[in-house]
Amino acid sequence: MGEMEELRKEADNLKDQITEARKVVQDTTLQEAVAGTTLVGRVQLKTRKTLRGHLAKIYAMHWGTDTNCSKLCVSASQDGKLIVWDTLTTNKVNAIPLKSSWVMTCAYAPSGNMVACGGLDNMCSIYNLKGKDGNVKVMRELAAHTGYLSCCRFLNDSEIITSSGDCTCILWDIETGTEKTIFAGHLGDCMSLAVSPDFKMFISGACDFTAKLWDIREATCRQTFSGHESDINAIGFFPNGNAVITGSDDATCKLYDLRADQELITYQDSGIMCGVTSLAASLSGRLLLAGYDDFNVNIWDMLKAERVGVLAGHDNRVSCIGVSSDGMACCTGSWDSFLKIWN
Amino acid sequence: MGGIPLSEISHTEKLPLLRNCGRCVETIMSSKMQSSNNTAHARRTVQQLRIEASIERIKVSKASADLMHYCGEHAKYDPLLMGIPASENPFKDKKPCTIL
């Protein structure tokens, strides 16, 4: 097959070109650049609230972002419930029973009007929190994925992006319940996604060990980042949108710069041998909080790549973590069925 | 409600047979339909690589400097980094005062 041979050669050439182009701009390393920067002092956060109410493992949580709900968050548990919490009072604002208890992800719309969830039912269910009669009902069931729903994030009240075990991500029109764009390219289950601060791009992490940057409106994959040696479970943007942080089963987190198109640093420690399940950046981006399979959260100085703190308090795997939009608090969710608020 | 407990699903079990191990994609099967799928897949891979090879890149020194600058500029507004005085912490339980 002459054509296959030619295509293979061209692919190899292009890969070499990319490797070369990345080397050309590598005039220093982040490690060298921050040599003169002082390490952040020890960070000691305390549990301020414990949110009790779920009866099984918590798989996901997401903070509200609107000024009206900056202290609200939604959590999803395999007890078959989505709970919207007022984190200041620990009261449950809503307790939403789900059709399928095998939930893996949840999301809060930026407007605060809706929440979404999905999991082994392969669907993304959208719930209207502000229905006329006060009842929370399913508004849409977005069905098209042929694999489990691993993550979902709202762009606005009419659009949501989902990632799936079928190796694709989809941009949905919530109104019509149909797919606007299918983002294909990953060669393994997509595990996590994050939307850029300007809502123009999103990044996905997958079981093919790569992270991909997608242009939402152009519907293209702009960049692919490799380096991890196992599944990427968690992904997030650095607050200015110019860099991406990933967390993997290979026990490390990595920082990739989008404009330099390469990995800048790896967050690893010989004492850490278990997978990263979740991650979140503090408001300034200086701190990286990462949840691990060993029940802890490690806090890293993002520039110096050294551990500066630990959050120990859960009795099982930390499955999800988030920093509130005003940066005032960090929330962790665990397989021990509790959520904790720290600052 | 059926389903396998998540703890028992191995993610790597789901990787399809077609794996991109850093080189061009190839499958083991040899039927005509499979090989035209192969070619279509290989063409898409090359197309995607062309897009990724063509982007403009900035120097790591500039990328690092910009990240450091952002952290520096925003540090004072980062409550988890700076610490929150008890009186300004809405999450801290206020202890009742006892008048002695």
Side-chain angles (χ1 to χ4, degrees):
Chain A
M1 296 245 84
E3 199 192 349
M4 272 304 288
E5 193 51 40
E6 275 177 37
L7 288 169
R8 194 201 320 237
K9 274 199 189 128
E10 194 178 352
D12 286 349
N13 280 340
L14 287 164
K15 285 191 179 120
D16 288 342
Q17 264 180 55
I18 293 170
T19 305
E20 261 317 295
R22 285 171 171 163
K23 274 200 195 117
V24 164
V25 295
Q26 202 179 32
D27 56 343
T28 183
T29 63
L30 178 62
Q31 202 148 11
E32 282 162 30
V34 300
T37 308
T38 318
L39 183 67
V40 161
R42 186 123 196 98
V43 175
Q44 283 173 315
L45 305 182
K46 296 205 176 107
T47 302
R48 301 296 177 190
K49 308 282 177 189
T50 299
L51 307 179
R52 295 166 217 274
H54 279 302
L55 302 171
K57 294 175 175 171
I58 291 170
Y59 274 88
M61 68 78 47
H62 195 212
W63 283 97
T65 39
D66 184 68
T67 31
N68 291 335
C69 36
S70 66
K71 298 296 189 292
L72 300 182
C73 71
V74 62
S75 61
S77 162
Q78 297 217 331
D79 62 5
K81 292 244 168 41
L82 275 192
I83 298 180
V84 178
W85 306 85
D86 178 329
T87 58
L88 286 176
T89 60
T90 73
N91 287 342
K92 300 173 189 50
V93 178
N94 301 105
I96 307 163
L98 305 174
K99 274 191 199 171
S100 164
S101 66
W102 301 108
V103 64
M104 292 173 69
T105 182
C106 62
Y108 216 131
S111 64
N113 293 335
M114 305 176 202
V115 289
C117 68
L120 293 185
D121 58 356
N122 298 1
M123 290 193 315
C124 183
S125 301
I126 314 283
Y127 293 84
N128 184 359
L129 295 178
K130 308 282 167 80
K132 284 184 193 136
D133 51 0
N135 283 337
V136 176
K137 281 185 297 209
V138 182
M139 212 181 101
R140 286 288 177 275
E141 282 173 340
L142 308 174
H145 278 301
T146 54
Y148 60 86
L149 208 83
S150 53
C151 194
C152 56
R153 285 292 178 259
F154 285 91
L155 291 183
N156 48 58
D157 280 4
S158 40
E159 292 173 308
I160 192 167
I161 300 183
T162 56
S163 62
S164 168
D166 68 11
C167 309
T168 71
C169 297
I170 295 179
L171 168 68
W172 301 84
D173 179 330
I174 296 175
E175 209 48 45
T176 60
T178 56
E179 310 95 272
K180 274 186 159 171
T181 312
I182 298 174
F183 299 90
H186 274 299
L187 298 173
D189 302 16
C190 293
M191 296 307 296
S192 187
L193 77 97
V195 179
S196 65
D198 66 5
F199 291 94
K200 292 183 180 168
M201 312 274 198
F202 77 93
I203 41 175
S204 56
C207 293
D208 60 7
F209 314 170
T210 71
K212 283 179 181 286
L213 175 73
W214 307 88
D215 184 319
I216 297 175
R217 303 305 163 191
E218 299 282 309
T220 53
C221 170
R222 290 272 200 93
Q223 291 164 261
T224 301
F225 300 98
S226 314
H228 274 297
E229 294 168 359
S230 188
D231 302 354
I232 293 176
N233 298 317
I235 200 162
F237 272 94
F238 184 86
N240 70 358
N242 286 340
V244 165
I245 318 146
T246 53
S248 166
D249 271 346
D250 69 9
T252 75
C253 295
K254 286 178 185 288
L255 179 72
Y256 296 95
D257 190 277
L258 297 181
R259 295 175 305 158
D261 184 40
Q262 57 191 274
E263 176 187 326
L264 290 189
I265 208 154
T266 299
Y267 306 92
Q268 64 189 346
D269 185 308
S270 53
I272 303 173
M273 288 173 293
C274 59
V276 178
T277 60
S278 48
L279 59 83
S282 72
L283 204 65
S284 68
R286 188 61 194 266
L287 299 178
L288 166 62
L289 298 99
Y292 291 75
D293 281 342
D294 67 358
F295 313 174
N296 289 329
V297 171
N298 287 313
I299 306 177
W300 299 84
D301 176 329
M302 220 186 289
L303 295 178
K304 303 285 284 182
E306 286 187 43
R307 266 200 292 180
V308 293
V310 175
L311 300 182
H314 282 292
D315 294 326
N316 206 323
R317 177 185 292 191
V318 173
S319 56
C320 50
I321 191 167
V323 170
S324 61
S325 54
D326 58 6
M328 286 286 284
C330 161
C331 177
T332 52
S334 168
W335 280 9
D336 68 8
S337 81
F338 301 118
L339 294 133
K340 287 181 185 287
I341 309 291
W342 312 73
N343 68 13
Chain B
M1 326 256 173
I4 310 159
L6 277 172
S7 51
E8 277 161 14
I9 298 176
S10 158
H11 296 311
T12 49
E13 275 167 6
K14 296 191 173 189
L15 274 175
L17 270 177
L18 267 83
R19 278 199 71 166
N20 186 347
C21 310
R23 297 275 151 189
C24 206
V25 170
E26 198 166 61
T27 55
I28 302 155
M29 303 195 199
S30 58
S31 71
K32 276 209 177 132
M33 185 135 143
Q34 200 63 40
S35 49
S36 69
N37 276 352
N38 278 358
T39 323
H41 194 292
R43 266 191 234 121
R44 278 196 301 272
T45 303
V46 165
Q47 232 170 328
Q48 179 57 36
L49 285 168
R50 281 196 197 127
I51 294 174
E52 294 183 22
S54 68
I55 64 162
E56 304 247 328
R57 294 169 181 81
I58 66 166
K59 290 200 158 58
V60 170
S61 54
K62 165 114 175 77
S64 304
D66 287 354
L67 286 174
M68 288 159 69
H69 184 78
Y70 189 91
C71 287
E73 284 293 295
H74 292 83
K76 54 183 174 288
Y77 306 116
D78 187 342
L80 295 179
L81 181 66
M82 304 303 294
I84 308 168
S87 54
E88 290 166 34
N89 189 350
F91 292 99
K92 192 164 163 56
D93 281 327
K94 309 265 181 294
K95 289 197 164 57
C97 294
T98 34
I99 300 173
L100 299 167

